[in-house]
Amino acid sequence: MDNTDDFLIKYNKKIKPRLQKFEKQRRLQAFISVFIIMSALLLMILTVVFLDFFEEYLGNFWALAPIFAFIFLMFSAVVYSYFETNFVMKLKKDIMPVFCECIGNIQWHHGPQQFSNDMILIKKSRLLLLAGLNITFDDTFTGITKKGNWFKISEVILNCNQVFIFLKFKGKNYSNTILMPKDEFQYSYKLKQIYLEDVELDKIYNIYSDDEIEARYLLNPSLMEKISNLGKTYGGNRISLSFFGNNLVIKIATGNAFEIGGLFCSVNNDYPLFHVHDEIRVVQELAEYFEN
């Protein structure tokens, strides 16, 4: 039995029953949100259409009606945002710990929070120009492989959502090798630009390293296939990575990751949690690849 089948059994036994208690709350808050927003939109339309009538028969005071209607519309948006954020947070706090137990040796944390060590690793990776950036970590998963290699997956909030993957390998000491999309690399520092035998890969990425032989060994077709699978799973086609010391840091430009539901997504929909399972599993497989 593979890991997916094992997770499916645990999911149906432990997670699905817990999800059901959220459905009534989800439906009620979704209904209230839609009702308030639709009422506000209707009020806005009526005040605009009948503004002249209001002014003629009810006085100049009613000329302010569109302003009040607009305020009501903004208020309805705030109510929806509060319901959505509050519901998702309660759902994650209740489900994520059990979800992680079903996958294996995984821990979940939620931001906004700062991990100083992660900031150091991002700086050393050279994948971001940190000056002036206010980096916040959102959902974060940490785990250890069977052979003791540590990994972390963090959703980072910048000008756009990105996922950073941190892998730490026991007994490794890599030279600095960086792979980035051609239009993203900011500084090559003193690294030498190298070219691989894969011409198509060289068209997409710039590759820099202070050890050309090791870089060619690391960026082999098997690893690049794993990296491609990462991009497909996270829905991001812009991936950067950096080897240094006993670390590998990967950056993926993506949309919202690790979403397990919302006001307009029934808890009976299994896809969100199974997708998060895939997002974590593909990183586990990458960490295990370096153990072979």
Side-chain angles (χ1 to χ4, degrees):
M1 182 179 295
D2 64 22
N3 290 321
T4 302
D5 290 338
D6 186 43
F7 173 74
L8 180 59
I9 293 172
K10 293 177 180 178
Y11 173 84
N12 288 322
K13 183 179 180 180
K14 296 183 178 181
I15 298 177
K16 201 148 190 175
R18 297 179 73 95
L19 286 169
Q20 297 306 314
K21 67 181 182 180
F22 288 94
E23 183 64 9
K24 184 176 180 180
Q25 177 188 352
R26 183 195 70 80
R27 290 183 178 181
L28 176 61
Q29 292 184 350
F31 172 78
I32 293 173
S33 298
V34 170
F35 178 80
I36 294 177
I37 291 174
M38 295 305 294
S39 299
L41 286 172
L42 180 61
L43 180 61
M44 174 68 75
I45 293 171
L46 289 175
T47 54
V48 171
V49 172
F50 295 102
L51 180 60
D52 292 340
F53 172 84
F54 289 149
E55 288 183 346
E56 181 177 354
Y57 294 97
L58 299 177
N60 292 333
F61 174 78
W62 286 93
L64 299 175
I67 297 177
F68 291 120
F70 179 76
I71 293 174
F72 183 45
L73 182 61
M74 293 299 99
F75 170 76
S76 68
V78 171
V79 170
Y80 163 71
S81 178
Y82 171 78
F83 280 161
E84 174 75 12
T85 302
N86 186 60
F87 176 78
V88 170
M89 196 65 256
K90 284 184 176 179
L91 185 65
K92 285 187 173 182
K93 285 184 176 180
D94 188 86
I95 298 300
M96 279 303 194
V98 181
F99 172 80
C100 289
E101 288 178 8
C102 292
I103 297 179
N105 190 17
I106 305 292
Q107 297 292 324
W108 169 76
H109 305 277
H110 183 76
Q113 55 190 316
Q114 292 277 349
F115 293 91
S116 58
N117 188 56
D118 293 351
M119 295 295 294
I120 293 172
L121 290 175
I122 291 175
K123 184 176 182 179
K124 287 184 176 180
S125 74
R126 307 181 184 181
L127 298 182
L128 280 180
L129 181 62
L130 293 179
L133 291 181
N134 183 18
I135 297 179
T136 303
F137 293 88
D138 195 8
D139 290 303
T140 297
F141 297 86
T142 57
I144 301 175
T145 66
K146 292 180 180 179
K147 293 188 178 181
N149 283 335
W150 171 90
F151 65 88
K152 177 182 284 188
I153 315 164
S154 294
E155 184 177 19
V156 173
I157 302 174
L158 288 166
N159 54 337
C160 63
N161 282 31
Q162 300 184 57
V163 168
F164 272 83
I165 299 167
F166 306 91
L167 287 81
K168 190 176 291 291
F169 310 112
K170 297 172 64 175
K172 302 287 187 179
N173 187 25
Y174 295 116
S175 301
N176 194 190
T177 295
I178 297 176
L179 176 147
M180 296 188 77
K182 282 191 172 292
D183 59 344
E184 279 194 22
F185 193 76
Q186 298 164 358
Y187 296 105
S188 63
Y189 296 87
K190 296 181 181 179
L191 301 180
K192 176 184 177 182
Q193 184 168 6
I194 66 172
Y195 302 91
L196 302 179
E197 294 180 1
D198 189 333
V199 178
E200 293 302 317
L201 198 64
D202 283 331
K203 290 180 180 178
I204 302 172
Y205 296 106
N206 280 335
I207 303 169
Y208 298 83
S209 180
D210 52 16
D211 189 328
E212 182 173 352
I213 295 176
E214 183 180 79
R216 292 179 180 275
Y217 169 77
L218 290 172
L219 302 177
N220 59 68
S222 295
L223 176 62
M224 296 314 300
E225 183 179 358
K226 296 288 185 185
I227 298 301
S228 176
N229 288 338
L230 274 178
K232 292 175 182 177
T233 303
Y234 282 90
N237 58 2
R238 303 187 66 79
I239 300 180
S240 309
L241 63 84
S242 177
F243 287 94
F244 56 96
N246 64 339
N247 299 283
L248 169 59
V249 177
I250 301 172
K251 176 172 71 78
I252 307 174
T254 182
N256 289 335
F258 315 121
E259 295 301 314
I260 66 170
L263 288 185
F264 297 100
C265 177
S266 171
V267 298
N268 295 312
N269 182 358
D270 299 329
Y271 173 79
L273 277 167
F274 272 83
H275 185 63
V276 176
H277 167 268
D278 292 342
E279 289 174 325
I280 296 173
R281 182 57 193 153
V282 73
V283 177
Q284 285 179 316
E285 291 175 351
L286 179 63
E288 292 165 358
Y289 162 82
F290 288 94
E291 298 175 341
N292 297 327

